[in-house]
Amino acid sequence: MPLQPARLEFNPDGTPYSAAFDDIYHTAHGGPGQARHVFLGGNDLPARWQERDRFVILETGFGLGLNFLAVWQAWRTDPQRCRRLHFVSIEKHPFTATDLTIAQQAWPEFAELAAELQQRWPLLAPGTHRLHLDDNRVVLTLIFGDATTQLREVDASVDAFFLDGFSPVKNPELWSPYLCKALARLAAPGATLATWCLARPARDALAAAEFDLERRPGFAARREMLVGHFRSRRPDRHQAPSGRRAIVIGAGIAGSTTAHRLAAAGWQVTVLEQAAEPGSGASSNLAGMLRPLPSADDNRLSRLTRAGFLATRALLAALPDARWSPCGVLHLAREAEHEAQQRRAVEKLGLPPELLQFVDRAEASRRLGQAVNIGGWWFPNAGWVQPPSLCKAVLAAFPERITTHFNVAVDRLEKVNNRAKTGWRALDADGAVLAEAPVLVMASGAAAPRFAQFAWLPQVAARGQVSHLPADGTPPLDVVLFQIGYAMPEIDGTRLIGASLSYEDDEATERVADHADNLARLRLTLPGFAAGIDPATLHGRVGFRPMSPDRLPIVGRVPEALPAGSNARLHALPRQPGLWCVQGFGARGIVWSALMADLLVSQLEGEPLPLEKDLVDALDPGRFLLRNARRAGADGDDS
């Protein structure tokens, strides 16, 4: 269901008010004071986060962001603050950036922080949005959706809960026993909660969910408030790493962005790359397309590409040396039925027009500057990215934490497991140690299955060939065009088109036949666009994309081999300590890169994840081993 943004309204006394819930967003006696007294004070903050590696807060109802701004300010001014602060907040009806800016003007004490938040405020699309603030030391995870369904998709270990939804009389679902049990599932040892709400049903639900409750003096007109302590002492399943050193194999777009996100989290990273420079393999195209792939049912691929698109856009905005252009992407329908499907998808998803629009034939022709015979999707903030420049920019962002070694061929991996240390070594063909660290991340694309630890990886190398046209030999093209092939705007005097796709094909040299195919696909969309260009005169580039069977990335801890017929569950699979992978990007490396790097590092750190649990499971490397083991067991039963 499409998101319904909140409407900015005020009571006669100027207090922000929701007509939909007939309730106020904060007390009329001073919102910042209530945030500090009830939510920070009620959770004994800042004292509880002091001298800690990280601290995680979860809030039910982001509203106008007042509690977050109060927490951020308190953390910033505390000399004993934790190393990293995570704030997770769920909001069913988020405000637009415009309304958020207007409302937050009421709190000049937060003006600097509010301005940074407003600048990073995401488009109002359903799902999880990750904002890295304050030099990556403060991480805001916004979940736009209904808390009653979204809480079960959160994977986090929460130290403090801010229960700040509308009144139980106005919004009873947010205080239900079901929701309180979901909070308990996320509670870390010693977790606390605070709320202004004293309603009996809410107290009973929290008590039944293992929270010991007490009343404390309230704020302003409210005589009392409620605080709670989680009584269970179960072990924390989200431990922070004991040492932050890692090896990353590969400096393509997967490995480079992973190294960047590790360094941003405080890790020392060694990157090993067999080529002479970053972005030389499947990531070496002149340009690649950046856009999501919607669907009317908002399936996993749709949700993942949308989240990935937004994450990559946020990363690019922070990298002035990365070459890219938000020129817009026009994705034309293949035929009339497909055009109708595209129109229905836009209507059903209800995404912001800044993210996705449907345009008819006339509008498509106008945006393209050339006549086309069908309409399609228009992504106004999508565009092209030059992958090698992105790889170089992210590796250069943390020179004190990222060490790169080029022209280095890793021959094999060796586990280190003795009394002194555990981890992994990367060795060359002569057995010399190239690097050693507690954590190793495989991000070598199509080459990964040749390593013994990844021989099981069901990844194939798909050959793709792009063609470079002289830009002065074609009409102008100001947007990225896609239909049955794609064409880019002019970049350094060249127009890139493509791309061919073939399997079980290891020919590394260019083929005239593939150039001819690329031209033929372009001419089906734009007859006469490349007229007079002889495919035999063209040059381009051949690359080998690492494709997974289900076309989704393969990200996470690497599992141990399973016996045939195993009935193990995904989360109970034995894993190889310290061994991780970021693989299977296929033709969507630009879309996947930033999001998958954030996911892997969040898993390594034991931090809140930037994706819903069902999507994380869909990316887990163990999914293939489970399928193979069960299939092998079934085959054995039949024999």
Side-chain angles (χ1 to χ4, degrees), residues 45-103:
L45 300 175
R48 287 183 56 234
W49 68 41
Q50 291 178 348
E51 308 297 339
R52 291 184 54 167
D53 185 70
R54 70 160 187 261
F55 196 84
V56 179
I57 297 169
L58 185 143
E59 175 187 53
T60 56
F62 188 79
L64 294 166
L66 176 57
N67 293 333
F68 171 67
L69 293 172
V71 165
W72 189 3
Q73 185 185 70
W75 176 88
R76 241 193 182 189
T77 56
D78 182 5
Q80 296 178 283
R81 59 181 175 260
C82 54
R83 188 180 71 93
R84 271 162 74 88
L85 175 68
H86 279 268
F87 195 98
V88 182
S89 189
I90 303 176
E91 178 56 63
K92 185 176 182 180
H93 301 293
F95 282 97
T96 64
T98 299
D99 282 350
L100 197 72
T101 300
I102 293 171

Short mmCIF file of all heavy atoms in Angstrom, two decimals, residues 45-103:
data_model
loop_
_atom_site.label_atom_id
_atom_site.label_comp_id
_atom_site.label_asym_id
_atom_site.label_seq_id
_atom_site.Cartn_x
_atom_site.Cartn_y
_atom_site.Cartn_z
N LEU A 45 19.84 8.37 30.12
CA LEU A 45 20.81 8.83 29.14
C LEU A 45 21.16 10.29 29.43
O LEU A 45 20.30 11.05 29.90
CB LEU A 45 20.24 8.71 27.72
CG LEU A 45 19.84 7.31 27.28
CD1 LEU A 45 19.17 7.35 25.90
CD2 LEU A 45 21.05 6.39 27.26
N PRO A 46 22.41 10.66 29.23
CA PRO A 46 23.45 9.94 28.50
C PRO A 46 24.30 8.96 29.29
O PRO A 46 25.21 8.33 28.71
CB PRO A 46 24.32 11.09 27.98
CG PRO A 46 24.19 12.16 29.00
CD PRO A 46 22.79 12.07 29.51
N ALA A 47 24.07 8.80 30.59
CA ALA A 47 24.95 7.97 31.41
C ALA A 47 25.12 6.56 30.85
O ALA A 47 26.23 6.00 30.86
CB ALA A 47 24.42 7.92 32.84
N ARG A 48 24.05 5.95 30.32
CA ARG A 48 24.12 4.54 29.92
C ARG A 48 24.92 4.32 28.64
O ARG A 48 25.36 3.20 28.37
CB ARG A 48 22.71 3.96 29.78
CG ARG A 48 22.03 3.73 31.12
CD ARG A 48 20.67 3.09 30.97
NE ARG A 48 20.73 1.85 30.23
CZ ARG A 48 19.99 1.57 29.15
NH1 ARG A 48 19.14 2.48 28.68
NH2 ARG A 48 20.09 0.41 28.55
N TRP A 49 25.08 5.35 27.81
CA TRP A 49 25.87 5.12 26.60
C TRP A 49 27.35 5.45 26.79
O TRP A 49 28.15 5.18 25.91
CB TRP A 49 25.29 5.86 25.41
CG TRP A 49 25.37 7.37 25.41
CD1 TRP A 49 26.41 8.17 25.81
CD2 TRP A 49 24.37 8.26 24.92
NE1 TRP A 49 26.12 9.50 25.63
CE2 TRP A 49 24.86 9.58 25.06
CE3 TRP A 49 23.10 8.08 24.36
CZ2 TRP A 49 24.14 10.71 24.69
CZ3 TRP A 49 22.39 9.21 23.99
CH2 TRP A 49 22.89 10.50 24.15
N GLN A 50 27.68 6.05 27.91
CA GLN A 50 29.05 6.52 28.09
C GLN A 50 30.05 5.38 28.14
O GLN A 50 29.80 4.33 28.75
CB GLN A 50 29.14 7.37 29.37
CG GLN A 50 28.40 8.69 29.24
CD GLN A 50 28.43 9.53 30.49
OE1 GLN A 50 28.80 9.06 31.56
NE2 GLN A 50 28.01 10.79 30.36
N GLU A 51 31.18 5.60 27.44
CA GLU A 51 32.30 4.65 27.36
C GLU A 51 31.94 3.35 26.65
O GLU A 51 32.68 2.36 26.72
CB GLU A 51 32.83 4.32 28.78
CG GLU A 51 33.16 5.52 29.62
CD GLU A 51 34.29 6.36 29.03
OE1 GLU A 51 35.06 5.83 28.22
OE2 GLU A 51 34.36 7.56 29.37
N ARG A 52 30.82 3.32 25.95
CA ARG A 52 30.45 2.10 25.23
C ARG A 52 30.87 2.20 23.77
O ARG A 52 31.03 3.28 23.21
CB ARG A 52 28.94 1.85 25.33
CG ARG A 52 28.51 1.49 26.75
CD ARG A 52 27.05 1.16 26.83
NE ARG A 52 26.62 0.13 25.90
CZ ARG A 52 25.44 -0.50 25.96
NH1 ARG A 52 24.60 -0.18 26.93
NH2 ARG A 52 25.11 -1.40 25.08
N ASP A 53 31.02 1.03 23.14
CA ASP A 53 31.39 1.00 21.73
C ASP A 53 30.23 1.50 20.89
O ASP A 53 30.42 2.30 19.96
CB ASP A 53 31.76 -0.43 21.33
CG ASP A 53 32.26 -0.51 19.90
OD1 ASP A 53 33.37 -0.01 19.64
OD2 ASP A 53 31.55 -1.05 19.04
N ARG A 54 29.03 1.04 21.16
CA ARG A 54 27.85 1.52 20.43
C ARG A 54 26.65 1.50 21.36
O ARG A 54 26.64 0.81 22.39
CB ARG A 54 27.57 0.63 19.21
CG ARG A 54 27.06 -0.75 19.55
CD ARG A 54 26.33 -1.41 18.38
NE ARG A 54 25.73 -2.66 18.82
CZ ARG A 54 26.28 -3.85 18.62
NH1 ARG A 54 27.43 -3.97 18.00
NH2 ARG A 54 25.65 -4.94 19.05
N PHE A 55 25.62 2.23 20.97
CA PHE A 55 24.37 2.26 21.72
C PHE A 55 23.25 2.35 20.69
O PHE A 55 23.34 3.10 19.71
CB PHE A 55 24.32 3.46 22.67
CG PHE A 55 23.27 3.35 23.72
CD1 PHE A 55 23.50 2.65 24.90
CD2 PHE A 55 22.01 3.94 23.55
CE1 PHE A 55 22.51 2.54 25.88
CE2 PHE A 55 21.03 3.83 24.51
CZ PHE A 55 21.28 3.14 25.69
N VAL A 56 22.19 1.57 20.92
CA VAL A 56 21.09 1.47 19.95
C VAL A 56 19.78 1.90 20.62
O VAL A 56 19.41 1.36 21.66
CB VAL A 56 20.96 0.05 19.39
CG1 VAL A 56 19.80 -0.03 18.40
CG2 VAL A 56 22.26 -0.39 18.72
N ILE A 57 19.11 2.84 19.99
CA ILE A 57 17.79 3.31 20.44
C ILE A 57 16.77 2.97 19.38
O ILE A 57 17.04 3.12 18.18
CB ILE A 57 17.82 4.83 20.68
CG1 ILE A 57 18.81 5.18 21.80
CG2 ILE A 57 16.42 5.36 21.01
CD1 ILE A 57 19.09 6.67 21.93
N LEU A 58 15.60 2.51 19.78
CA LEU A 58 14.49 2.29 18.86
C LEU A 58 13.30 3.10 19.31
O LEU A 58 12.92 3.07 20.49
CB LEU A 58 14.13 0.81 18.75
CG LEU A 58 13.06 0.49 17.71
CD1 LEU A 58 13.37 -0.84 17.01
CD2 LEU A 58 11.66 0.42 18.31
N GLU A 59 12.69 3.79 18.37
CA GLU A 59 11.56 4.68 18.65
C GLU A 59 10.34 4.24 17.83
O GLU A 59 10.46 3.93 16.65
CB GLU A 59 11.94 6.11 18.29
CG GLU A 59 10.81 7.13 18.41
CD GLU A 59 11.22 8.48 17.88
OE1 GLU A 59 11.70 8.56 16.72
OE2 GLU A 59 11.09 9.47 18.62
N THR A 60 9.20 4.24 18.47
CA THR A 60 7.95 3.98 17.75
C THR A 60 7.28 5.32 17.46
O THR A 60 6.64 5.91 18.33
CB THR A 60 7.02 3.09 18.59
OG1 THR A 60 6.80 3.69 19.87
CG2 THR A 60 7.63 1.71 18.80
N GLY A 61 7.46 5.80 16.23
CA GLY A 61 6.86 7.07 15.83
C GLY A 61 7.88 8.18 15.74
O GLY A 61 8.16 8.86 16.74
N PHE A 62 8.44 8.40 14.53
CA PHE A 62 9.46 9.44 14.37
C PHE A 62 8.85 10.83 14.44
O PHE A 62 9.47 11.76 14.95
CB PHE A 62 10.19 9.25 13.03
CG PHE A 62 11.37 10.15 12.84
CD1 PHE A 62 12.57 9.86 13.46
CD2 PHE A 62 11.28 11.30 12.06
CE1 PHE A 62 13.68 10.69 13.30
CE2 PHE A 62 12.37 12.14 11.90
CZ PHE A 62 13.58 11.83 12.51
N GLY A 63 7.62 10.97 13.92
CA GLY A 63 6.94 12.25 13.98
C GLY A 63 7.75 13.35 13.31
O GLY A 63 8.17 13.25 12.16
N LEU A 64 8.03 14.40 14.07
CA LEU A 64 8.78 15.56 13.57
C LEU A 64 10.28 15.45 13.86
O LEU A 64 11.03 16.39 13.61
CB LEU A 64 8.24 16.84 14.18
CG LEU A 64 6.80 17.18 13.74
CD1 LEU A 64 6.21 18.25 14.64
CD2 LEU A 64 6.80 17.64 12.30
N GLY A 65 10.70 14.32 14.39
CA GLY A 65 12.13 14.10 14.64
C GLY A 65 12.65 14.75 15.89
O GLY A 65 13.87 14.83 16.09
N LEU A 66 11.76 15.21 16.76
CA LEU A 66 12.19 15.94 17.95
C LEU A 66 13.05 15.08 18.88
O LEU A 66 14.12 15.52 19.35
CB LEU A 66 10.96 16.45 18.70
CG LEU A 66 11.22 17.16 20.03
CD1 LEU A 66 12.15 18.34 19.84
CD2 LEU A 66 9.89 17.61 20.65
N ASN A 67 12.61 13.85 19.16
CA ASN A 67 13.39 13.00 20.06
C ASN A 67 14.76 12.70 19.48
O ASN A 67 15.77 12.67 20.20
CB ASN A 67 12.64 11.69 20.32
CG ASN A 67 11.36 11.90 21.11
OD1 ASN A 67 11.24 12.86 21.88
ND2 ASN A 67 10.39 11.02 20.93
N PHE A 68 14.81 12.46 18.17
CA PHE A 68 16.10 12.17 17.55
C PHE A 68 17.03 13.37 17.67
O PHE A 68 18.22 13.22 18.00
CB PHE A 68 15.92 11.79 16.09
CG PHE A 68 17.22 11.69 15.34
CD1 PHE A 68 18.15 10.69 15.64
CD2 PHE A 68 17.55 12.63 14.37
CE1 PHE A 68 19.36 10.62 14.98
CE2 PHE A 68 18.75 12.57 13.69
CZ PHE A 68 19.67 11.55 14.00
N LEU A 69 16.54 14.56 17.39
CA LEU A 69 17.39 15.74 17.48
C LEU A 69 17.88 15.97 18.91
O LEU A 69 19.05 16.34 19.12
CB LEU A 69 16.62 16.98 16.99
CG LEU A 69 16.29 16.99 15.50
CD1 LEU A 69 15.37 18.17 15.17
CD2 LEU A 69 17.55 17.05 14.64
N ALA A 70 17.04 15.72 19.89
CA ALA A 70 17.44 15.88 21.29
C ALA A 70 18.52 14.87 21.65
O ALA A 70 19.49 15.20 22.37
CB ALA A 70 16.23 15.74 22.20
N VAL A 71 18.37 13.63 21.19
CA VAL A 71 19.37 12.60 21.46
C VAL A 71 20.68 12.94 20.77
O VAL A 71 21.77 12.85 21.36
CB VAL A 71 18.85 11.22 20.99
CG1 VAL A 71 19.98 10.21 20.92
CG2 VAL A 71 17.75 10.73 21.91
N TRP A 72 20.61 13.32 19.51
CA TRP A 72 21.81 13.65 18.74
C TRP A 72 22.58 14.79 19.42
O TRP A 72 23.81 14.73 19.57
CB TRP A 72 21.40 14.02 17.33
CG TRP A 72 22.51 14.18 16.35
CD1 TRP A 72 23.85 13.98 16.56
CD2 TRP A 72 22.38 14.59 14.98
NE1 TRP A 72 24.56 14.24 15.42
CE2 TRP A 72 23.69 14.62 14.43
CE3 TRP A 72 21.29 14.94 14.18
CZ2 TRP A 72 23.92 14.99 13.10
CZ3 TRP A 72 21.52 15.30 12.86
CH2 TRP A 72 22.82 15.32 12.32
N GLN A 73 21.87 15.81 19.84
CA GLN A 73 22.51 16.93 20.50
C GLN A 73 23.16 16.50 21.82
O GLN A 73 24.30 16.88 22.13
CB GLN A 73 21.51 18.05 20.76
CG GLN A 73 22.14 19.32 21.36
CD GLN A 73 21.09 20.35 21.71
OE1 GLN A 73 20.32 20.15 22.65
NE2 GLN A 73 21.06 21.44 20.96
N ALA A 74 22.46 15.69 22.60
CA ALA A 74 23.01 15.22 23.88
C ALA A 74 24.25 14.37 23.66
O ALA A 74 25.23 14.47 24.40
CB ALA A 74 21.94 14.44 24.65
N TRP A 75 24.21 13.53 22.63
CA TRP A 75 25.37 12.69 22.32
C TRP A 75 26.55 13.55 21.89
O TRP A 75 27.69 13.32 22.31
CB TRP A 75 24.97 11.70 21.21
CG TRP A 75 26.09 10.84 20.73
CD1 TRP A 75 26.47 9.63 21.23
CD2 TRP A 75 26.99 11.11 19.63
NE1 TRP A 75 27.55 9.13 20.54
CE2 TRP A 75 27.88 10.02 19.54
CE3 TRP A 75 27.11 12.17 18.74
CZ2 TRP A 75 28.90 9.97 18.59
CZ3 TRP A 75 28.12 12.12 17.78
CH2 TRP A 75 28.99 11.04 17.71
N ARG A 76 26.29 14.54 21.05
CA ARG A 76 27.36 15.39 20.53
C ARG A 76 28.08 16.15 21.63
O ARG A 76 29.29 16.38 21.55
CB ARG A 76 26.76 16.39 19.54
CG ARG A 76 27.30 16.27 18.14
CD ARG A 76 26.89 17.47 17.33
NE ARG A 76 27.35 17.35 15.96
CZ ARG A 76 27.29 18.31 15.08
NH1 ARG A 76 26.77 19.48 15.43
NH2 ARG A 76 27.73 18.14 13.85
N THR A 77 27.35 16.58 22.63
CA THR A 77 27.93 17.42 23.68
C THR A 77 28.48 16.60 24.84
O THR A 77 28.98 17.18 25.81
CB THR A 77 26.88 18.40 24.22
OG1 THR A 77 25.73 17.67 24.68
CG2 THR A 77 26.44 19.37 23.13
N ASP A 78 28.42 15.28 24.76
CA ASP A 78 28.89 14.42 25.84
C ASP A 78 30.32 13.95 25.53
O ASP A 78 30.53 13.17 24.60
CB ASP A 78 27.96 13.21 25.97
CG ASP A 78 28.37 12.29 27.11
OD1 ASP A 78 29.31 12.63 27.85
OD2 ASP A 78 27.76 11.22 27.26
N PRO A 79 31.32 14.38 26.29
CA PRO A 79 32.70 13.96 26.00
C PRO A 79 32.93 12.47 26.23
O PRO A 79 33.92 11.91 25.74
CB PRO A 79 33.53 14.81 26.96
CG PRO A 79 32.60 15.21 28.05
CD PRO A 79 31.24 15.31 27.43
N GLN A 80 32.05 11.81 26.95
CA GLN A 80 32.19 10.37 27.21
C GLN A 80 31.25 9.53 26.35
O GLN A 80 31.01 8.37 26.64
CB GLN A 80 31.92 10.09 28.69
CG GLN A 80 32.91 10.73 29.64
CD GLN A 80 32.56 10.46 31.08
OE1 GLN A 80 31.66 11.05 31.67
NE2 GLN A 80 33.27 9.50 31.66
N ARG A 81 30.77 10.09 25.26
CA ARG A 81 29.78 9.42 24.43
C ARG A 81 30.31 8.11 23.86
O ARG A 81 31.52 7.90 23.75
CB ARG A 81 29.36 10.34 23.29
CG ARG A 81 30.51 10.75 22.40
CD ARG A 81 30.04 11.70 21.30
NE ARG A 81 31.17 12.19 20.52
CZ ARG A 81 31.72 13.39 20.68
NH1 ARG A 81 31.24 14.21 21.60
NH2 ARG A 81 32.74 13.76 19.95
N CYS A 82 29.38 7.25 23.45
CA CYS A 82 29.73 5.99 22.80
C CYS A 82 30.36 6.28 21.45
O CYS A 82 30.19 7.36 20.87
CB CYS A 82 28.49 5.11 22.64
SG CYS A 82 27.11 5.91 21.80
N ARG A 83 31.10 5.29 20.92
CA ARG A 83 31.79 5.48 19.64
C ARG A 83 30.80 5.69 18.50
O ARG A 83 31.01 6.53 17.64
CB ARG A 83 32.66 4.26 19.35
CG ARG A 83 33.58 4.41 18.14
CD ARG A 83 34.39 3.14 17.94
NE ARG A 83 33.54 2.05 17.48
CZ ARG A 83 33.35 1.74 16.20
NH1 ARG A 83 33.94 2.45 15.25
NH2 ARG A 83 32.58 0.73 15.86
N ARG A 84 29.72 4.89 18.47
CA ARG A 84 28.70 5.03 17.42
C ARG A 84 27.32 4.95 18.06
O ARG A 84 27.07 4.12 18.93
CB ARG A 84 28.86 3.93 16.36
CG ARG A 84 29.82 4.36 15.24
CD ARG A 84 30.32 3.18 14.46
NE ARG A 84 29.35 2.59 13.55
CZ ARG A 84 29.17 2.98 12.28
NH1 ARG A 84 29.84 3.99 11.80
NH2 ARG A 84 28.31 2.36 11.50
N LEU A 85 26.45 5.82 17.58
CA LEU A 85 25.08 5.87 18.07
C LEU A 85 24.14 5.47 16.94
O LEU A 85 24.18 6.04 15.85
CB LEU A 85 24.74 7.29 18.54
CG LEU A 85 23.29 7.52 18.99
CD1 LEU A 85 22.99 6.78 20.27
CD2 LEU A 85 23.03 9.02 19.17
N HIS A 86 23.28 4.49 17.21
CA HIS A 86 22.26 4.07 16.25
C HIS A 86 20.89 4.47 16.78
O HIS A 86 20.55 4.20 17.93
CB HIS A 86 22.30 2.55 16.04
CG HIS A 86 23.35 2.10 15.09
ND1 HIS A 86 23.13 1.94 13.75
CD2 HIS A 86 24.66 1.80 15.29
CE1 HIS A 86 24.24 1.54 13.16
NE2 HIS A 86 25.18 1.45 14.07
N PHE A 87 20.10 5.08 15.90
CA PHE A 87 18.74 5.47 16.24
C PHE A 87 17.83 4.89 15.16
O PHE A 87 17.93 5.26 13.99
CB PHE A 87 18.63 6.99 16.28
CG PHE A 87 17.39 7.52 16.96
CD1 PHE A 87 17.43 7.94 18.28
CD2 PHE A 87 16.18 7.59 16.28
CE1 PHE A 87 16.29 8.45 18.90
CE2 PHE A 87 15.04 8.08 16.90
CZ PHE A 87 15.09 8.51 18.23
N VAL A 88 16.97 3.95 15.56
CA VAL A 88 16.04 3.28 14.63
C VAL A 88 14.65 3.80 14.94
O VAL A 88 14.20 3.76 16.09
CB VAL A 88 16.09 1.74 14.81
CG1 VAL A 88 15.16 1.07 13.80
CG2 VAL A 88 17.52 1.23 14.65
N SER A 89 13.94 4.27 13.92
CA SER A 89 12.61 4.82 14.16
C SER A 89 11.65 4.39 13.07
O SER A 89 12.00 4.41 11.88
CB SER A 89 12.68 6.36 14.21
OG SER A 89 11.44 6.90 14.64
N ILE A 90 10.46 4.02 13.48
CA ILE A 90 9.42 3.56 12.55
C ILE A 90 8.35 4.62 12.45
O ILE A 90 7.89 5.15 13.47
CB ILE A 90 8.81 2.22 13.03
CG1 ILE A 90 9.91 1.17 13.19
CG2 ILE A 90 7.76 1.73 12.05
CD1 ILE A 90 9.42 -0.15 13.76
N GLU A 91 7.96 4.94 11.23
CA GLU A 91 6.95 5.97 11.03
C GLU A 91 6.01 5.56 9.89
O GLU A 91 6.44 5.36 8.76
CB GLU A 91 7.61 7.31 10.70
CG GLU A 91 6.63 8.44 10.44
CD GLU A 91 5.66 8.64 11.60
OE1 GLU A 91 6.10 8.98 12.71
OE2 GLU A 91 4.44 8.43 11.37
N LYS A 92 4.74 5.44 10.23
CA LYS A 92 3.74 5.05 9.23
C LYS A 92 3.39 6.20 8.30
O LYS A 92 3.13 5.99 7.11
CB LYS A 92 2.48 4.55 9.94
CG LYS A 92 1.41 4.00 9.02
CD LYS A 92 0.24 3.44 9.81
CE LYS A 92 -0.82 2.82 8.91
NZ LYS A 92 -1.96 2.28 9.71
N HIS A 93 3.39 7.42 8.84
CA HIS A 93 3.01 8.60 8.05
C HIS A 93 4.12 9.66 8.17
O HIS A 93 4.00 10.60 8.96
CB HIS A 93 1.68 9.18 8.52
CG HIS A 93 0.53 8.21 8.44
ND1 HIS A 93 0.04 7.75 7.24
CD2 HIS A 93 -0.20 7.60 9.42
CE1 HIS A 93 -0.95 6.91 7.47
NE2 HIS A 93 -1.12 6.80 8.78
N PRO A 94 5.19 9.51 7.41
CA PRO A 94 6.29 10.49 7.51
C PRO A 94 5.91 11.83 6.89
O PRO A 94 5.06 11.90 6.00
CB PRO A 94 7.42 9.82 6.73
CG PRO A 94 6.72 8.91 5.75
CD PRO A 94 5.48 8.43 6.45
N PHE A 95 6.57 12.86 7.35
CA PHE A 95 6.39 14.19 6.77
C PHE A 95 7.25 14.34 5.53
O PHE A 95 8.30 13.73 5.40
CB PHE A 95 6.77 15.27 7.79
CG PHE A 95 5.73 15.51 8.84
CD1 PHE A 95 5.82 14.90 10.09
CD2 PHE A 95 4.65 16.34 8.58
CE1 PHE A 95 4.87 15.12 11.06
CE2 PHE A 95 3.67 16.56 9.55
CZ PHE A 95 3.78 15.95 10.79
N THR A 96 6.82 15.20 4.64
CA THR A 96 7.66 15.58 3.51
C THR A 96 8.82 16.43 4.03
O THR A 96 8.76 16.99 5.14
CB THR A 96 6.89 16.38 2.47
OG1 THR A 96 6.47 17.63 3.06
CG2 THR A 96 5.67 15.62 1.97
N ALA A 97 9.87 16.54 3.24
CA ALA A 97 11.01 17.35 3.64
C ALA A 97 10.60 18.80 3.86
O ALA A 97 11.10 19.48 4.78
CB ALA A 97 12.10 17.26 2.58
N THR A 98 9.68 19.30 3.05
CA THR A 98 9.23 20.69 3.18
C THR A 98 8.53 20.92 4.51
O THR A 98 8.83 21.88 5.24
CB THR A 98 8.28 21.05 2.02
OG1 THR A 98 8.98 20.91 0.78
CG2 THR A 98 7.77 22.47 2.16
N ASP A 99 7.59 20.03 4.86
CA ASP A 99 6.87 20.19 6.12
C ASP A 99 7.79 19.98 7.31
O ASP A 99 7.65 20.65 8.35
CB ASP A 99 5.70 19.20 6.18
CG ASP A 99 4.52 19.67 5.34
OD1 ASP A 99 4.54 20.82 4.88
OD2 ASP A 99 3.58 18.87 5.14
N LEU A 100 8.72 19.04 7.20
CA LEU A 100 9.67 18.79 8.29
C LEU A 100 10.49 20.06 8.54
O LEU A 100 10.70 20.46 9.70
CB LEU A 100 10.59 17.62 7.92
CG LEU A 100 11.36 16.98 9.07
CD1 LEU A 100 10.42 16.17 9.96
CD2 LEU A 100 12.46 16.06 8.52
N THR A 101 10.92 20.72 7.49
CA THR A 101 11.72 21.94 7.61
C THR A 101 10.93 23.04 8.30
O THR A 101 11.44 23.74 9.18
CB THR A 101 12.20 22.40 6.22
OG1 THR A 101 12.98 21.37 5.62
CG2 THR A 101 13.02 23.68 6.33
N ILE A 102 9.67 23.19 7.90
CA ILE A 102 8.82 24.23 8.50
C ILE A 102 8.63 23.96 9.99
O ILE A 102 8.79 24.85 10.83
CB ILE A 102 7.46 24.29 7.78
CG1 ILE A 102 7.64 24.78 6.34
CG2 ILE A 102 6.49 25.18 8.55
CD1 ILE A 102 6.40 24.66 5.50
N ALA A 103 8.29 22.72 10.33
CA ALA A 103 8.00 22.39 11.73
C ALA A 103 9.23 22.52 12.62
O ALA A 103 9.14 22.99 13.76
CB ALA A 103 7.44 20.97 11.81
#
